[in-house]
Amino acid sequence: MTDLNGVVPAIAKALAKRGYSELTPVQKSMLDPALAASDALVSAQTGSGKTVAFGLALAPTLLEGEDRFPPAAEPLALVIAPTRELALQVKRELEWLYEMTGAVIVSCVGGMDIRSERRALERGAHIVVGTPGRLCDHIRRRALNMSVLKAVVLDEADEMLDLGFREDLEFILEASPDDRRTLMFSATVPAAIAKLAKSYQRNAVRIATKAEEKQHIDIEYRALVVAPSDRENAIINVLRYYEATNAIVFCSTRAAVNHLTARFHNRNFNVVALSGELTQNERSHALQAMRDGRARVCIATDVAARGIDLPGLDLVIHADLPTNSDTLLHRSGRTGRAGRKGVSALIVPLNARRKAERLLDNAGISASWGRPPSAEEVSSRDEERLIADPIFHQVPDEDEHELVKRLLAAHGAEKLANAFVSLYRSNQSAPEDLIEISFQDDGNRKRRENTDGPREPSQKGPRDDFGASVWFSVSVGRKQNAEPRWLIPMLCRNGNVTKREIGAIKMQQDETFVEIAADSAGTFLQSIGPNKALERGIRVTQLDGTPDFNRPAASKPYAGKKNFDDRRDDRPKDGYKKTDRRDAAPAHGANDERRDSKPWTKKPGKPKFEGKPGNGGPKPKFPKKKG
């Protein structure tokens, strides 16, 4: 064991017994003599060894130079964790770390018998580990005496605030002695955490370790681009391709968890679900099934998965993209632990690629972009695993040897091999055929990312640096109040393209010319279907070459609304007068369901609006009073 300067001898023996050969960066930082009696605000990622770190930091304060604790009485230290699973995990870690000191460690968590916990507290404890809500209950019922408390640890402080435990944390900290040490450990330090630290810590030492960088060395990030309708099939192929010992699939909602769980059960996967609707008993059974190998895939929401620790978790799949970069790091940090390699795979629908890029950039992560494993790649990987299966290297017992001879004599080697392959594949889900998509490689995409994005109508001429492109004609123009602010989202939504894949937009009187990247033109045509129509009857036509932007406008019928049909005589009908369309509110936005934006309004009789007040239109005109 190295770098043990400052470690209490009894703790050092426990570390050596556990087989520790080197401390992690966050653990080393807690051995700084300057922290011996100071408060600390520590930012370190999930899986960086925080539990051992604050165990090392607490030991000098609690033992006060002794090798063993005196008989247990009132608690000396309090550790607060966001979830039951994490609290119990912390308790197990501290039990072996303080084994040589004679420490009595008690847990107080929701879902357990509160009477048993009260009796344990009455017998005495040196360290109490619990969740905020249950600790508050014990304090209010005077079962937890905080009078001699020397230290309080907040583990995963950011998660506790996210889960709504701010008031509970403030109550616990205010009930503890003013001269206590307060150690806060958090993966991130947002403004809420900084404010909490300022209120309840005294001259806290700020420690930002590089543990997260080391952690992510063992995680391979993959961004897998799929057609939006192929998301579930892609997840199936990823699970089948890696065949991880344990895998977790993250969804954004309970409904998505239930849907994927049912789908994967039907596909012969051994799965369990974790969502907020489960009871504590159901949740415990699900996690135990993952730990003992009865299940290999856990499908969970972000909140339900907080605090869980699954051994051998080699694969994390983001079925729904995380909402922010912190969530991405929290999810991914559950793999790649203790020197094991792990894979974090983001399932990226084609129209959400830009969002995924922002997430990865904000998290400081460089991911390899590509497509999900195809059915052929999964089958090829299965064959490799079959040929390398360790079962072929096992020496048969004497009883089995006789049976092998009988099987060879009865069926022959070829039939036995066929039977073995069939048996091997019978418990596996068949891989899915995925839709072919047009996907740009990183080099081409980086070249295009230096452009200024979609062109506004005021820009002149095609963009020279956009690359190869295909032009399309859209059957709305200035005459129909077409605007890029609703036309671009409509093209992205219906054509499964992103803004980056849209080049110049040239507005004409009755049509609009749109430039689409050549690599995405096939996907665009396939997505809008054989009718070549967008929403509200707007039609799209592919053009040969670059259109002539200076040719006279041709009057074309607009299929979206018959009010804009082509009229040879542009004079208003009897009883109507023509309004200025430039002042009228847009009548054909992607989500515009108004039916009052008509280009013709009746002559005075009753007050009429020529435009919608407050939306760029003129003020209402009222008929003049007679006399």
Side-chain angles (χ1 to χ4, degrees), residues 447-518:
R447 177 173 59 84
R448 289 187 49 217
E449 281 177 349
N450 294 325
T451 64
D452 298 328
R455 289 179 59 84
E456 297 298 328
S458 59
Q459 290 177 280
K460 297 181 180 180
R463 196 166 65 204
D464 295 332
D465 57 354
F466 185 67
S469 63
V470 177
W471 284 91
F472 292 87
S473 172
V474 182
S475 63
V476 285
R478 295 192 189 96
K479 193 174 180 180
Q480 293 81 31
N481 299 310
E483 295 182 357
R485 65 182 180 184
W486 58 261
L487 185 58
I488 291 174
M490 183 185 295
L491 292 169
C492 294
R493 185 167 55 250
N494 290 272
N496 281 332
V497 294
T498 65
K499 290 182 180 180
R500 294 284 185 183
E501 293 157 332
I502 299 176
I505 297 177
K506 297 294 292 181
M507 293 285 182
Q508 304 296 312
Q509 188 67 12
D510 290 287
E511 64 180 327
T512 300
F513 299 121
V514 179
E515 185 185 22
I516 303 291

Side-chain angles (χ1 to χ4, degrees), residues 29 31 53 108 223 230 391 405 440 465 481 490 560 610:
S29 66
L31 297 178
C108 298
D230 247 1
I391 196 171
K405 287 184 178 180
Q440 295 173 336
D465 57 354
N481 299 310
M490 183 185 295
E610 291 188 354

